[in-house]
Amino acid sequence: KKGYTHLTYEKRVQIKKMLEDDISPVNIAEKIGVSSSTVYREIKRNTDNKDSYSPVKSQNRYQNNCNMQKRMI
């Protein structure tokens, strides 16, 4: 069984570039070595009203969530 790992900023940038090249989430997942559900979830959570995926906003959200978890402990 694979362990859970967070997407890196570099992988988020790769997702953005491949989406711009009209590569499907399933193929993106294969190319960056993660589950297709991870890519679908990442796109769904971090796409703005203009239907644009932002790796910067996604990474900021991730870091804010990490900081919130540390404060709760």
Side-chain angles (χ1 to χ4, degrees):
K1 183 178 177 181
K2 291 183 180 180
Y4 177 78
T5 58
H6 296 275
L7 288 175
T8 62
Y9 177 71
E10 290 76 19
K11 286 190 178 184
R12 290 183 166 108
V13 171
Q14 289 178 310
I15 290 170
K16 170 74 172 175
K17 289 179 181 177
M18 287 188 248
L19 286 171
E20 289 173 348
D21 291 339
D22 292 324
I23 297 174
S24 74
V26 172
N27 288 334
I28 292 171
E30 289 175 4
K31 290 177 189 258
I32 66 172
V34 299
S35 166
S36 59
S37 62
T38 299
V39 174
Y40 278 109
R41 195 167 38 252
E42 177 71 10
I43 294 167
K44 182 178 178 183
R45 288 180 180 167
N46 299 296
T47 299
D48 62 22
N49 294 336
K50 299 172 190 165
D51 292 330
S52 177
Y53 172 76
S54 172
V56 173
K57 287 181 181 178
S58 178
Q59 187 68 19
N60 288 341
R61 180 178 176 175
Y62 164 72
Q63 289 174 333
N64 287 337
N65 287 341
C66 286
N67 290 337
M68 290 297 288
Q69 289 294 326
K70 289 177 186 175
R71 288 186 206 141
M72 295 176 116
I73 295 176

